[in-house]
């Protein structure tokens, strides 16, 4: 089952929701930043569960 996480982009600092894909044999941590299109890989994944995700108005 896929899980949603809140992460910070290591390139621009934008806080956003990202999906950890349930894949075999290990989960996939790969996300394109919605602000700057930087591809965030597992080694750069920074969870920030205590921060709020900004809303787009």
């Amino acid at each position: 089952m896929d899980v949603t996480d809140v992460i910070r982009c290591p390139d621009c600092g934008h806080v956003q929701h990202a999906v950890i894909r349930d894949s075999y044999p290990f989960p996939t941590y790969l996300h394109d930043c919605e602000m700057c299109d930087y591809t965030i890989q597992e080694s750069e994944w920074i969870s920030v569960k205590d921060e709020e995700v900004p809303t787009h108005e």
Side-chain angles (χ1 to χ4, degrees):
M1 182 165 83
D2 294 344
V3 177
T4 301
D5 194 7
V6 178
I7 64 170
R8 177 187 312 279
C9 176
D11 195 50
C12 73
H14 181 64
V15 176
Q16 60 205 292
H17 290 284
V19 176
I20 302 169
R21 301 274 177 216
D22 184 23
S23 57
Y24 180 84
F26 304 106
T28 301
Y29 291 78
L30 195 61
H31 178 78
D32 290 330
C33 178
E34 57 192 34
M35 201 69 148
C36 70
D37 286 330
Y38 182 80
T39 300
I40 304 165
Q41 300 177 35
E42 182 175 4
S43 62
E44 304 168 308
W45 199 274
I46 305 166
S47 291
V48 289
K49 296 184 186 302
D50 295 336
E51 292 190 39
E52 257 185 59
V53 177
T55 56
H56 299 272
E57 294 182 17

